[in-house]
Amino acid sequence: MMLTEKFEQLKAIFAQMQQALIAYSGGVDSTLVAKVAYDVLGDRALAVTAVSPSLLPEELEDAKIQAATIGIPHQIIVTHEMENPNYTSNPVNRCYFCKSELHDTLKPLAVEMGYPYVIDGVNADDLHDYRPGIQAAKERGARSPLAEVGITKAEVRQLSQQLGLPWWDKPAQPCLSSRFPYGEEITVAKLQRVGRAEIYLRKLGWKNLRVRSEGDTARIELSPEQIKDFVLNTDLKTVVSTFQELGFIYVTLDLEGYSSGKLNRVLNSQQALTNAAQ
């Protein structure tokens, strides 16, 4: 199916809804959804951003700016996943409990305000990845129009660019809890430490990156083509001392480079061991 046809189907979905509440993180996916929803529904579309310790402060500011640029009404709520030990213990299905908290907060709000639909930014590619949060959203009646019409991540960026959205190439920025290996307890202090480290590196000019945290060790992931430049042109001693001031003891650089979902590899390894034992 051509992208133009998918786009028309996407607009048609919103036209049929009459009103829609958008679970809006400020990422490129949910921002495209918010843009299309507003273009079709006007003020009958509402973007809602959930704030918790797992959201970078700069991401919240981006979300505010982008919503204002689009023109869509924007509301901020607070979620409390950090109060749930099923989340903070960081099991392999951690995202299920995060999205459960999100949609258990959004759904009553939507009912109270008269919005029959809660919409998220899940795209077609997400359906082929390990995303336990998708199931939590479905169980609570959320809809994913991008996935419904088969729009992929690359097509999200293409459409965003065609619509003139200046953040069409914004790097993916999942919640900070994704920086920790499964099984390591997540605390507010650890989230803040990782968040400050990533903000620090971005201020140095590095964009598509992750700071993975394991115990007292920080592992910096950059795009593979940036690794040499980082080593040669960054004051590594200052980087290390800054990270240590944030609370890390050891600072390492991942020579493979940034790869989305890298921490999920352990799941594949565990499955392979299980299969071998059977």
Side-chain angles (χ1 to χ4, degrees), residues 36-269:
V36 177
Y38 181 68
D39 285 350
V40 174
L41 299 173
D43 289 344
R44 290 176 290 138
L46 173 67
V48 179
T49 301
V51 176
S52 76
S54 63
L55 178 70
L56 274 170
E58 64 178 6
E59 288 299 303
L60 176 58
E61 292 307 309
D62 282 352
K64 291 178 180 178
I65 292 169
Q66 292 164 195
T69 301
I70 291 169
I72 189 171
H74 184 208
Q75 185 169 330
I76 295 171
I77 60 171
V78 176
T79 53
H80 303 280
E81 60 269 22
M82 292 299 293
E83 298 175 11
N84 184 353
N86 288 322
Y87 176 83
T88 56
S89 62
N90 198 14
V92 295
N93 61 340
R94 178 198 67 245
C95 287
Y96 178 88
F97 301 105
C98 177
K99 294 301 183 184
S100 295
E101 168 69 14
L102 172 64
H103 288 279
D104 283 343
T105 304
L106 289 179
K107 189 171 182 179
L109 177 65
V111 171
E112 177 185 345
M113 299 182 68
Y115 290 89
Y117 297 98
V118 174
I119 307 301
D120 64 25
V122 171
N123 65 59
D125 289 336
D126 293 332
L127 302 180
H128 304 293
D129 195 4
Y130 177 66
R131 301 289 180 94
I134 293 176
Q135 182 61 34
K138 284 184 178 179
E139 290 173 358
R140 289 153 179 82
R143 289 188 62 179
S144 308
L146 295 177
E148 288 178 27
V149 301
I151 293 178
T152 65
K153 186 73 170 188
E155 290 173 332
V156 166
R157 297 193 183 280
Q158 186 178 341
L159 279 175
S160 297
Q161 187 177 27
Q162 290 174 359
L163 292 172
L165 302 180
W167 46 82
W168 64 272
D169 60 346
K170 180 180 180 180
Q173 189 61 259
C175 81
L176 292 175
S177 295
S178 66
R179 311 305 195 264
F180 301 87
Y182 295 121
E184 179 175 332
E185 183 183 9
I186 296 171
T187 67
V188 172
K190 288 180 179 180
L191 292 171
Q192 291 176 342
R193 183 173 67 175
V194 167
R196 292 191 190 107
E198 291 195 356
I199 289 173
Y200 166 72
L201 291 177
R202 288 194 179 91
K203 287 181 177 178
L204 293 181
W206 308 101
K207 301 299 181 183
N208 197 19
L209 63 92
R210 293 286 184 273
V211 174
R212 308 288 186 187
S213 176
E214 185 168 0
D216 293 319
T217 299
R219 187 176 77 249
I220 300 171
E221 293 183 10
L222 299 166
S223 298
E225 63 273 11
Q226 293 181 323
I227 292 175
K228 183 178 180 180
D229 188 22
F230 182 84
V231 172
L232 294 178
N233 299 309
T234 301
D235 185 343
L236 298 179
K237 185 176 180 180
T238 299
V239 171
V240 171
S241 64
T242 299
F243 273 54
Q244 289 176 338
E245 289 172 5
L246 293 174
F248 291 106
I249 296 177
Y250 309 105
V251 185
T252 66
L253 179 64
D254 190 319
L255 298 182
E256 178 188 11
Y258 165 66
S259 176
S260 178
K262 183 176 288 188
L263 294 181
N264 283 337
R265 290 178 183 174
V266 66
L267 303 180
N268 296 330
S269 298

